[in-house]
């Protein structure tokens, strides 16, 4: 088992609601896994894995967390891992290892998908609905961008004239670079809690006579 810092250990054993803020590489995954194991194997009372929900942002993180839980539960399920060979503790660990296959350890969107599928009849949805994969979403996004740019190119208003002037200055060889920039801004805005507010702020800053925020 990894050695945890005093701050990590406090997060592992703290009772009630806990909010942990940490940067990349700070050991968040190992700390969360240790907190789960602490509740599952040593809690008073112990918490069964089928009562635990763990969500992450990426498939890689969910896979890594499930693997670490599997390794730790496998070790705990061995009689030699328990003082005085406490048979009840070994049996509990084995039960939890078996439950891991169906445990709710996944990305946030995968959990939401599972929740919707379980209750599709309450939502008036087709039970055969599916979630778009990245390739499908990319095709649709480019189609929408095509329509937006086409409308801007045909726009006869002052706004359309501004688009044309911008393209003449910055996209004389085609709008590929402009399209790439638009998609980058879109991707970044989607990571923010209030993307529309952020976009409005950027437009306001850009409209200033002295755009000091745009150096």
């Amino acid at each position: 088992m990894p050695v945890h810092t005093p701050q990590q250990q406090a997060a592992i054993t703290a009772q009630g609601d806990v909010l942990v803020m940490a940067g990349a590489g700070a050991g968040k995954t190992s700390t969360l896994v240790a907190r789960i194991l602490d509740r599952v194997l040593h809690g008073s009372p112990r918490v069964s894995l089928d009562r635990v929900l763990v969500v992450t942002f990426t498939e890689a993180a969910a896979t890594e967390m499930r693997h670490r839980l599997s390794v730790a539960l496998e070790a705990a399920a061995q009689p030699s891992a328990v003082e005085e060979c406490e048979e009840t503790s070994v049996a509990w660990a084995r039960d939890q290892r078996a439950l891991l296959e169906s445990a709710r350890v996944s990305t946030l969107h995968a959990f939401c998908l599972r929740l919707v599928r379980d209750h599709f009849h309450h939502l008036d949805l087709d039970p055969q609905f599916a979630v778009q994969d990245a390739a499908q979403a990319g095709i649709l996004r480019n189609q929408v961008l095509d329509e937006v740019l086409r409308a801007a190119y045909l726009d006869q208003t002052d706004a359309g004239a501004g688009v044309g002037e911008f393209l003449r200055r910055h996209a004389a060889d085609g709008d590929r670079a402009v399209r790439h920039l638009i998609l980058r801004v879109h991707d970044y805005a989607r990571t923010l809690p209030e993307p529309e507010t952020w976009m409005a702020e950027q437009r306001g800053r850009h409209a200033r006579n002295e755009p000091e925020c745009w150096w």
Side-chain angles (χ1 to χ4, degrees):
M1 294 294 291
V3 177
H4 296 99
T5 66
Q7 292 85 356
Q8 291 172 331
Q9 191 61 41
I12 292 167
T13 58
Q15 301 298 312
D17 297 332
V18 179
L19 173 63
V20 177
M21 299 178 64
K28 296 186 294 297
T29 299
S30 64
T31 300
L32 181 55
V33 168
R35 181 173 174 82
I36 295 169
L37 291 170
D38 182 68
R39 295 298 184 276
V40 170
L41 297 177
H42 310 297
S44 181
R46 292 178 294 197
V47 178
S48 179
L49 265 178
D50 59 2
R51 303 289 297 171
V52 175
L53 169 63
V54 185
V55 293
T56 69
F57 287 106
T58 66
E59 294 287 355
T63 300
E64 174 66 17
M65 191 167 295
R66 188 179 289 274
H67 172 71
R68 295 190 187 191
L69 287 170
S70 177
V71 171
L73 290 172
E74 180 70 30
Q78 304 304 317
S80 60
V82 183
E83 293 183 3
E84 300 180 359
C85 296
E86 297 177 6
E87 294 183 2
T88 56
S89 295
V90 172
W92 174 264
R94 289 173 177 170
D95 289 343
Q96 299 310 302
R97 183 185 58 184
L99 286 172
L100 182 59
E101 293 300 320
S102 59
R104 289 173 293 230
V105 181
S106 67
T107 60
L108 182 59
H109 56 275
F111 168 71
C112 292
L113 174 61
R114 179 175 179 176
L115 189 64
V116 172
R117 280 183 172 162
D118 287 345
H119 301 279
F120 71 91
H121 50 290
H122 295 300
L123 302 171
D124 196 24
L125 291 176
D126 186 331
Q128 300 301 318
F129 80 92
V131 176
Q132 285 182 339
D133 59 29
Q136 293 172 322
I139 292 172
L140 288 178
R141 186 167 74 157
N142 283 318
Q143 289 176 348
V144 172
L145 181 56
D146 287 341
E147 294 174 5
V148 170
L149 290 177
R150 187 179 300 111
Y153 298 156
L154 297 175
D155 190 353
Q156 301 298 315
T157 66
D158 290 343
V163 171
E165 179 62 24
F166 177 85
L167 291 174
R168 281 190 290 273
R169 290 186 178 185
H170 304 287
D173 297 327
D175 62 4
R176 182 175 179 179
V178 174
R179 294 171 64 91
H180 178 67
L181 182 59
I182 291 172
L183 293 177
R184 282 187 59 193
V185 172
H186 177 254
D187 287 340
Y188 174 73
R190 291 175 60 199
T191 68
L192 304 176
E194 297 182 4
E196 294 181 358
T197 299
W198 178 80
M199 291 293 293
E201 290 176 351
Q202 305 315 307
R203 286 193 293 268
R205 291 174 177 177
H206 188 67
R208 295 175 186 173
N209 292 331
E210 297 294 335
E212 65 277 359
C213 295
W214 289 72
W215 290 108

